[in-house]
Every structure is written in structure tokens, then in C-alpha cells.
Amino acid sequence: MSESSPSYLSELVGVFGFPVAENPTIIMQEAAFRAAGLNWRYLNIEVRPEQLPDAVTGLRAFNMRGINLTIPHKVAVIPLLDGLSPEAALMGAVNTVVARDGKLVGNNTDGKGFLWSLRQDAGIDPAGKEVVFLGAGGAARAMSVELALAGASRITIVNRSAERGQSLVELLNAKTPTSADFVLWSEPYRTPDDTDILVNATSIGLFPDISAMPEVDLSSIRPDLLVCDVIPNPPHTAFLREAKARGARTLDGLGMLVGQGAIGFEMWTGVEAPVAVMRAALEEVFG
Ligand code: NDP
């Protein structure tokens, strides 16, 4: 073939999950590839838990440029990779794999996506801030570790199950510069007066359960508080609506999803992510 011959070879990335059919990241990444003029494709690939090792071998065989991992593969993928970023090693979970020079390296962009949205969408730097997370699952773990590394002065983890909450607090105190404490969530949570940022990092309020709200004493939500929600669908959760009604500033979960997608896009392609296009594509999906 001469140098000017067209290439019909696409670069491949995607997501391994089970189930994965409804994962909307494809819409955002494909819109970004089109906007950037890249011949790349993003695929939703259903991988059963027992087939993850074969799927990772396939990733290498197809010379794919990387992959996102979603439930139930974020932890199980780790022994199948060639290396981990320091943050992914700290969190013990991977959501973005980058293939480079024949090696698969695992990263975690969930927390970085939140940090990005906090800075870009809300204009807030977490350094020196007092932050409360409702929840201690994978999302809370990724977000709290990133905020701790970014200099948050104090992090409180409020969780229904003590074991999960305490193990996250132990990780934050042992491996990051922040000071963390745990509150057992057994009654409506009263946000302390010195809190700067309150984050719902639970799955409460996710579609189709859109009227559900985390149990928070709404009288403790003040106008000088930033209230965030991880739920991307719907972006305008009942919790954020109540917070807004009390005068608080709010940050929705769509920004975090765009942020982590944009970071993944840049890691894979080396091209600046068209974030406005990515957000518009997701807004169309979530209405
Ligand atoms: P996990 O299953 O790992 O954790 C769920 C957390 O929610 C746990 O702390 C759990 O508490 C708590 N929880 C769930 N139901 C209740 C309830 N009824 N009452 C009190 N606590 C409850 O999920 P993830 O952390 O992975 O995901 C959480 C949410 O974050 C999901 O909705 C997901 O869509 C969203 N997310 C958004 C992203 C974005 O980019 N916007 C990125 C990643 C996730 P317990 O430990 O006691 O069970």
C-alpha cells in the first residue's frame, strides 16, 4: 500500500461489565472520537466473571488500546494486569486500563473525575476543606482517596455498614495525609457546621428509584455548603433539589462521569478531550 492509501483499521477501546448493555459511556466516547476526527471505536462488551481472564487475553490479542471496567470486574482484573497506577494500587480497584508498549496498566479515574468536576464545574479546590461522604463503596473509596491526596483537611465517612466504613477510614488515615473519621449511619445524618462539602456517594436516588433520598437531616444543610451527588441518572436528584431549595450550591454526578471519561479519553488517545461535546452527548441520554 502506498502512504496515501486509506486505512480501514479502527483503534479499539470499550468496557467489560456484566451486565453492560445499558452503560452510557459509549455515547460520550463515540461523540468525542467523532469530534476529534479519530477513527476509534468504543464497544460495550459483556464479560461474565469467570471469563475475565480470557477477555483480558482477547484485549491483548486484538491489540486494543485500553478498556474500562465496571461491575463486577474492578477488583478481579488487578492480577491480570502488568502494572497499576499508585492511586489504583491504593484504592484496590481499576476502572481504566491503558495498553502501552505491550503492557496493560490499570488506573482509577472515578475519583479524578470527581476532582475534575469539583474544580471545573464548581470552581472549588478541596485543599483545606472538610468533606463528608455518605457511603463507603467503590465510588466513595475512589473519591475520598483523591480528595485526601489533593489536600482535604478532614474526611468523614458516614456508612450503614460499620465494617466497610471503618476499613475506608483506616485506609485514609494510614495511606494519605488527611485525617479521617467514621460515623455509623443509623439515623438521619446531621451535617456538622464546619463541613464545606457534603457528597452522596451511595446508590440512593439512582434510576428507577428516583424519589429515594439519603437520610440526611435537611435542616443541617446550610447555604454555604456545596452538596454533591454521584448519581448520574437522573442528574437532578431529589437530594440535590432539596439541597438547592435550602440555598446550598449543588454539583451533579454527570460532571464526574464526564470528567472520568475525559481523563480516560486523554490517557488512551493523547488528544485533548472535547468535554463540552461529551457532556452534551450524556445530557441527551439522561434528558
Ligand atoms: P457500591 O455498591 O460499591 O456502594 C454502595 C454504597 O451505597 C455503600 O456504601 C452502601 O452502604 C450504600 N447504600 C446503598 N443503598 C443504601 C441504603 N439504602 N441506605 C444506606 N446506604 C446505602 O457502589 P459504588 O460505590 O460503586 O456506586 C455508588 C453509586 O455511585 C452508584 O449509584 C453509581 O452509579 C455511582 N457512580 C457514579 C459515577 C459517576 O461518574 N458519576 C462513577 C462511579 C459510580 P453499605 O456499605 O452499608 O452497603
Side-chain angles (χ1 to χ4, degrees):
M1 261 203 295
S2 76
E3 268 185 39
S4 58
S5 299
S7 169
Y8 300 114
L9 188 67
S10 302
E11 301 292 349
L12 297 179
V13 288
V15 54
F16 290 165
F18 188 80
V20 79
E22 291 177 11
N23 191 308
T25 299
I26 181 172
I27 303 296
M28 155 172 82
Q29 295 294 5
E30 291 264 318
F33 295 145
R34 278 194 299 277
L38 296 171
N39 183 14
W40 285 53
R41 296 285 177 278
Y42 189 100
L43 305 169
N44 281 22
I45 304 173
E46 196 170 76
V47 175
R48 289 175 181 277
E50 67 276 15
Q51 286 169 333
L52 186 63
D54 287 343
V56 172
T57 302
L59 180 68
R60 296 182 197 268
F62 289 166
N63 199 23
M64 290 176 72
R65 302 294 289 268
I67 200 81
N68 285 141
L69 283 313
T70 187
I71 293 168
H73 302 312
K74 288 185 179 186
V75 177
V77 77
I78 290 176
L80 306 171
L81 303 176
D82 302 308
L84 291 180
S85 70
E87 296 83 4
L90 205 56
M91 293 163 195
V94 164
N95 78 336
T96 305
V97 170
V98 179
R100 197 157 289 141
D101 304 326
K103 300 256 187 276
L104 299 180
V105 176
N107 302 268
N108 197 312
T109 62
D110 280 337
K112 288 189 200 312
F114 178 62
L115 194 56
W116 179 90
S117 178
L118 201 57
R119 288 181 171 142
Q120 301 297 318
D121 299 331
I124 288 186
D125 191 293
K129 298 284 191 287
E130 308 244 337
V131 188
V132 173
F133 285 96
L134 306 172
R141 199 172 177 89
M143 296 158 89
S144 59
V145 165
E146 282 306 337
L147 260 59
L149 295 176
S153 61
R154 182 165 200 86
I155 291 182
T156 303
I157 303 292
V158 182
N159 202 49
R160 174 180 65 173
S161 98
E163 200 185 331
R164 226 170 169 191
Q166 265 157 352
S167 94
L168 177 51
V169 163
E170 278 164 27
L171 171 80
L172 292 167
N173 281 327
K175 300 281 170 73
T176 77
T178 202
S179 156
D181 54 14
F182 171 66
V183 173
L184 184 67
W185 200 1
S186 52
E187 53 188 31
Y189 180 71
R190 222 189 131 67
T191 314
D193 287 347
D194 50 6
T195 309
D196 298 299
I197 303 171
L198 171 67
V199 186
N200 173 33
T202 72
S203 42
I204 303 168
L206 188 65
F207 181 85
D209 226 352
I210 60 172
S211 57
M213 288 224 315
E215 270 198 69
V216 170
D217 178 344
L218 293 172
S219 71
S220 69
I221 294 190
R222 314 172 320 266
D224 58 342
L225 195 62
L226 176 73
V227 179
C228 314
D229 207 322
V230 280
I231 303 292
N233 180 23
H236 305 294
T237 59
F239 181 52
L240 290 187
R241 285 201 305 275
E242 288 290 347
K244 203 174 259 179
R246 279 154 185 82
R249 292 183 62 201
T250 59
L251 184 66
D252 68 42
L254 215 50
M256 172 177 172
L257 194 57
V258 172
Q260 62 92 5
I263 293 164
F265 178 97
E266 292 182 359
M267 283 177 169
W268 288 330
T269 66
V271 171
E272 189 180 341
V275 285
V277 169
M278 295 171 88
R279 178 152 187 130
L282 281 182
E283 272 172 356
E284 207 165 302
V285 174
F286 295 136

